[in-house]
Amino acid sequence: MAKQNVAEQFVDILVRAGVRRLYGVVGDSLNPVVDAVRRNRAIDWVHVRHEETAAFAAGAEAQITGKLTACAGSCGPGNLHLINGLYDAHRSMAPVLALASHIPSSEIGLGYFQETHPDQLFRECSHYSELISSPKQMPRLLQTAIQHAVGRSGVSVVSLPGDIADDPAPDKPLETALVTTRPTVRPGDAELDAFVRMIDKAEKITLFCGSGTAGAHAEVMEFAEKIKSPVGHALRGKEWIQYDNPFDVGMSGLLGYGAAYEATHECDLLILLGTDFPYNAFLPDNVKIAQVDVRPENLGRRSKLDLAVWGDVKETLRCLIPRVKEKQNRRFLDKMLKKHADALEGVVKAYTRKVEKHVPIHPEYVAAVLDELADDDAVFTVDTGMCNVWAARYISPNGRRRVIGSFSHGSMANALPMAIGAQFTDRKRQVVSMSGDGGFSMLMGDFLTLVQYDLPVKVVLFNNSSLSMVELEMLVAGLPSYGTTNKNPDFAAVARACGAHGVRVEKPKDLAGALKDAFKHKGPALVDVVTDPNALSIPPKISTEMVTGFALSASKIVLDGGVGRMLQMARSNLRNVPRP
């Protein structure tokens, strides 16, 4: 039996760690690894058209499965293309192992062709980034990288010179057990005691939830019931906490709606659960705040805390619920539920009047119809910009759907690449890319990846021929829009030319039929919807700081607009409020 080379040993370790796909673009320094993948039946090479797509796809797969994924780029320019997708994965706490192949080891530091220093370049967007400099080093270094990615929920980068990848591997190392799952983290007894005293003393408590509440929906609801607390959420917490929630008061932030802002400011105690909500201007400065987070570095970096609790949200609530006293007074909760319903009543009709006749089509109408027709377990990948607005307000979570986007990193062009990674996890599950024309055209080449692998991703293109969020920023700053207009082709025709299903929709009455046909199509499909670039309603008192970077400086004003089916839930919750 032929002796393994380092590349083969590298791939074997990835397989043992549960990696089933390696996303990337082939290249000379990467060839030994790609060939090792070719000869290993337990892992597939996914050939994308741009390495940025590879990193986004790996990050999306990791977010859907919760397991380690991997991507790769060849030396120099090849692996540099990974960086944007890796930043996104790292900030989304997605466990991703990136292989940055490198120039020949004998030439490092001598200005060789395509030379960069990837072990240094990726340090800011990873928990671990190191260079393999000898075959003997590789197994332990790769194991360490994997355990950083899984254990700390983020990115690890391994730089591997092509010549070392092709060298004979050392004698087979001991197969050390790999960390492939995360433990739960329980707070200490002293923290729990202090937390219980704080909760029992407070009369009006609000819970504000982020993505750290994933898997803890039942515990959050039980806790809210016991302490009679309204429950608000950040954008990344929406999919985990909004559904089946009789305590829901909406979302806070620039895209927010409902009574979340009031609930967080009118309480005695605000409890932040699993959220690193970055917009501190939306957080109160005159109420007591406790924060629960599995990452201790997140505690207190957005607001002054009265209590910092290091722990997993689910495990922390399991410890708290039996110990806190049940509150009997629900006046504050009922008041916030009524404010929430009243707030939604005021905006729900913003984009529902005569939408069947409005041309160009309201993007809100597109999102509402999409929400109605999509599968109950669909995965939505969402482009940054106005698509964030439509997803936040119109896509209804139900505990089975997933909504992922570049919600922390804020990158353009993420939706299509993320859809690729999401679809590879399950070809039978419906995956919908909510793409803007700007983001889609930026990485449009990877629409060919859908065709090449016959991935049944459905791209719903919100085509307003502009970078409309940037236009909004310019408008608020008192600047004329400049450089924001896109001269677009007929994207449906482009899709058909690529070998996919493509249809262009310019009239509202044709929208539902076009979406249904796309969803029925067995392969990749694109629905190019020509939408109104002036759809966003802007409040009269909004400042530059409120919009730029999705930040709010000094006011609770948020972008106005409809809220889709959320009013139905608010009305339902209001009916459960006891009458005097």
Side-chain angles (χ1 to χ4, degrees), residues 82-162:
L82 294 170
I83 196 163
N84 196 43
L86 292 182
Y87 258 100
D88 182 81
H90 194 57
R91 299 190 69 183
S92 299
M93 296 179 66
V96 174
L97 188 287
L99 168 60
S101 69
H102 205 357
I103 63 171
S105 57
S106 61
E107 305 302 321
I108 294 174
L110 299 174
Y112 191 72
F113 175 66
Q114 293 188 324
E115 181 174 6
T116 59
H117 292 88
D119 53 315
Q120 299 176 35
L121 286 164
F122 292 104
R123 282 180 182 164
E124 190 173 321
C125 62
S126 67
H127 290 303
Y128 184 85
S129 180
E130 291 293 346
L131 170 68
I132 293 173
S133 54
S134 77
K136 291 182 179 180
Q137 180 192 16
M138 190 281 292
R140 286 186 297 149
L141 191 147
L142 180 56
Q143 176 186 331
T144 301
I146 289 170
Q147 293 180 177
H148 271 79
V150 174
R152 298 183 66 183
S153 293
V155 170
S156 283
V157 182
V158 173
S159 301
L160 177 62

Side-chain angles (χ1 to χ4, degrees), residues 299-313:
L299 296 169
R301 69 176 179 179
R302 309 300 183 190
S303 61
K304 179 179 178 297
L305 295 184
D306 295 275
L307 182 65
V309 181
W310 182 8
D312 173 83
V313 170

